[in-house]
Amino acid sequence: AQSVTQLGSHVSVSEGALVLLRCNYSSSVPPYLFWYVQYPNQGLQLLLKYTTGATLVKGINGFEAEFKKSETSFHLTKPSAHMSDAAEYFCAVIPSNFGNEKLTFGTGTRLTIIP
Amino acid sequence: GAVVSQHPSRVICKSGTSVKIECRSLDFQATTMFWYRQFPKKSLMLMATSNEGSKATYEQGVEKDKFLINHASLTLSTLTVTSAHPEDSSFYICSARDKERKQFFGPGTRLTVL
């Protein structure tokens, strides 16, 4: 079984400031990890994913995340926030052996950008 | 990238009626599609897994007779909310998985039951 915990249901940062959204996971087998973004009344868009290889993954819109096995974390960062980054962000996990084919989502973090 | 569409994007219906939501993979074949429900300010809750040509697998607590899922082709799955009630009002999102096991999400359908 796997689970995802996103610390902080709401995060506010000033425009131009660092964005840090936290995600911790648990998985009985090595995980594949994902970050999705959701804009109001829209579906989910994949930001980035980690499967194998390099633990620092870069995604769209300047976001990146680092897989840290020792900390069971996959935090999402962006060096400089833009107003357009305001959205809901979801971290998700699926076991790499696909024994359970279902994506498990965290509860989401709403990112607000302060002008 | 792969595109998944949902129709309609918004629907308002009267209590007691049935509503059908379509999920289509536009440029790839999807042997598996997933249906999620998202409550306001909440995460996505997986309702069921839909496999082409077979019965859907429902998650615990999801009424299969109320939420009918049909996956008649490799590009189309439908979710029918039968005898809808106001508590069924929600945002329904589908996703489709390609042969490389990547999931692509549809834009969602906002259902409002009056």
Side-chain angles (χ1 to χ4, degrees), chain B residues 18-68:
Chain B
S18 294
V19 174
K20 180 184 286 188
I21 303 170
E22 292 185 348
C23 177
R24 292 181 185 273
S25 56
L26 298 185
D27 50 2
F28 67 99
Q29 293 184 332
T31 55
T32 303
M33 290 184 174
F34 302 88
W35 286 96
Y36 296 85
R37 180 173 179 178
Q38 186 177 31
F39 294 94
K41 300 181 181 180
K42 297 287 186 181
S43 186
L44 281 75
M45 180 191 78
L46 180 64
M47 299 175 65
T49 302
S50 167
N51 292 300
E52 187 266 337
S54 63
K55 291 183 178 181
T57 303
Y58 290 81
E59 295 299 300
Q60 190 174 8
V62 178
E63 298 176 62
K64 62 180 181 181
D65 294 330
K66 181 167 186 62
F67 298 100
L68 300 178

Side-chain angles (χ1 to χ4, degrees), chain B residues 48-102:
Chain B
T49 302
S50 167
N51 292 300
E52 187 266 337
S54 63
K55 291 183 178 181
T57 303
Y58 290 81
E59 295 299 300
Q60 190 174 8
V62 178
E63 298 176 62
K64 62 180 181 181
D65 294 330
K66 181 167 186 62
F67 298 100
L68 300 178
I69 292 172
N70 183 281
H71 194 158
S73 76
L74 288 172
T75 59
L76 174 64
S77 177
T78 60
L79 167 68
T80 300
V81 183
T82 62
S83 187
H85 288 103
E87 57 265 31
D88 299 325
S89 299
S90 193
F91 195 55
Y92 293 88
I93 301 176
C94 74
S95 71
R97 191 176 69 199
D98 68 8
K99 61 182 179 181
E100 296 177 353
R101 287 177 158 165
K102 297 176 185 176

Side-chain angles (χ1 to χ4, degrees), chain A residues 10 36 38 41-46 49 88 90 94 97-98 101-103 105-108 110, chain B residues 10 34 36 38 41-44 46 49 59 91 93 97 100-103 105-108 110:
Chain A
H10 291 84
Y36 288 89
Q38 184 181 33
N41 293 311
Q42 294 187 26
L44 275 68
Q45 180 181 4
L46 181 65
K49 64 181 179 182
E88 189 88 20
F90 293 96
I94 195 168
N97 63 359
F98 292 100
E101 299 274 10
K102 309 166 193 174
L103 269 173
F105 287 88
T107 51
R110 182 169 298 276
Chain B
R10 289 178 175 267
F34 302 88
Y36 296 85
Q38 186 177 31
K41 300 181 181 180
K42 297 287 186 181
S43 186
L44 281 75
L46 180 64
T49 302
E59 295 299 300
F91 195 55
I93 301 176
R97 191 176 69 199
E100 296 177 353
R101 287 177 158 165
K102 297 176 185 176
Q103 280 194 44
F105 286 82
R110 172 76 59 193

Side-chain angles (χ1 to χ4, degrees), chain A residues 7-45:
Chain A
L7 292 176
S9 59
H10 291 84
V11 171
S12 296
V13 301
S14 298
E15 189 175 16
L18 171 72
V19 175
L20 170 61
L21 304 183
R22 300 179 184 274
C23 172
N24 289 87
Y25 70 90
S26 67
S27 179
S28 54
V29 300
Y32 288 168
L33 295 157
F34 306 80
W35 274 100
Y36 288 89
V37 61
Q38 184 181 33
Y39 298 100
N41 293 311
Q42 294 187 26
L44 275 68
Q45 180 181 4

